[in-house]
Amino acid sequence: MNEADSPLEPFKRATTATMRALAEDDELEVTFGPGAPSVRGNRIRVPLPAMGSSDEQINAVRGVGDQFALTLRHHDDKLHSQYAPQGGPAQEMFQWIEDARVAAIGSQRMEGVAKNLDAHLESQCQQAAFDTITTETEAPLSVAVGLLVRQELTGRELPPSAENVVRFWRDHVEDHAGGHIRELKSAVGDQAKFASLCRTIIADLGLAADLDQPPEGDTNQDEIETMD
């Protein structure tokens, strides 16, 4: 059987078409293969589901591609690095919150994409063994905040393994940063404004010492090409 006759060929075609639509790039090069997914320029390599995979497993693989494509379209690496803390839990929290912003943009576009992103998130959390957490000390606050932001921005229930992280921190995060997290909804389409609010949330939660200096002065929004 040649490659064109493979039962995975329709999956490849459909996934590639969706990723190009989400990235708004008809020239996006999508390849499929084993190992960790990767992106280089406008070339993305994503995994293939194993033969006999469940619908949830297939959706999780689609979700990997969807997240990559949405990031290409809506995330500016240079701007991100201007605002991101340089290490530790604050940097991890900043990254998870930004990932939540990108996922929210995709979830608002298509229900199918939202389901794929949920499946990918559940797979991520299972791989990190978040489904086995039984105490607060095992639940990383930085991840929990990102997940709570994602729930706020998408309006979707978190998948089980993600919920198992946030249940230990939900009240604490709401008490210290709930108001600023809700403000993020108005900034989903403006990465610079969103990143600035994200830094405020990090400070709200006691990690101000991990923040380096923000971009000098008041950033001129006209000089930054933010993503729609």
Side-chain angles (χ1 to χ4, degrees), residues 56-115:
E56 192 70 8
Q57 289 169 325
I58 292 171
N59 288 344
V61 173
R62 288 191 180 111
V64 173
D66 291 352
Q67 184 79 27
F68 268 92
L70 287 163
T71 300
L72 275 178
R73 175 67 186 93
H74 298 286
H75 172 83
D76 184 324
D77 279 335
K78 183 177 179 181
L79 194 154
H80 183 82
S81 65
Q82 282 184 291
Y83 285 87
Q86 295 306 300
Q91 183 183 44
E92 185 178 35
M93 187 182 296
F94 189 88
Q95 184 63 58
W96 274 88
I97 296 176
E98 170 61 9
D99 287 347
R101 184 185 73 86
V102 172
I105 293 171
S107 296
Q108 291 162 4
R109 290 188 61 165
M110 287 185 276
E111 176 63 20
V113 170
K115 288 181 178 178

Side-chain angles (χ1 to χ4, degrees), residues 140-204:
L141 173 62
S142 53
V143 176
V145 173
L147 293 171
L148 286 165
V149 168
R150 181 165 173 151
Q151 185 173 33
E152 175 68 27
L153 297 181
T154 64
R156 299 177 68 85
E157 291 301 310
L158 292 170
S161 298
E163 179 61 36
N164 196 45
V165 180
V166 306
R167 66 192 178 101
F168 295 99
W169 290 107
R170 191 182 298 277
D171 290 344
H172 174 83
V173 173
E174 171 60 30
D175 288 346
H176 291 81
H180 286 137
I181 286 176
R182 282 184 285 279
E183 279 187 47
L184 289 172
K185 274 187 157 181
S186 66
V188 168
D190 183 338
Q191 187 180 339
K193 181 179 178 183
F194 189 93
S196 181
L197 274 169
C198 179
R199 292 174 65 90
T200 301
I201 290 165
I202 289 170
D204 289 342

Side-chain angles (χ1 to χ4, degrees), residues 96-147:
W96 274 88
I97 296 176
E98 170 61 9
D99 287 347
R101 184 185 73 86
V102 172
I105 293 171
S107 296
Q108 291 162 4
R109 290 188 61 165
M110 287 185 276
E111 176 63 20
V113 170
K115 288 181 178 178
N116 294 344
L117 294 173
D118 286 350
H120 173 42
L121 177 62
E122 175 66 0
S123 177
Q124 270 186 296
C125 291
Q126 288 180 356
Q127 288 173 16
F130 292 157
D131 53 331
T132 66
I133 288 173
T134 57
T135 66
E136 180 180 310
T137 55
E138 296 174 329
L141 173 62
S142 53
V143 176
V145 173
L147 293 171

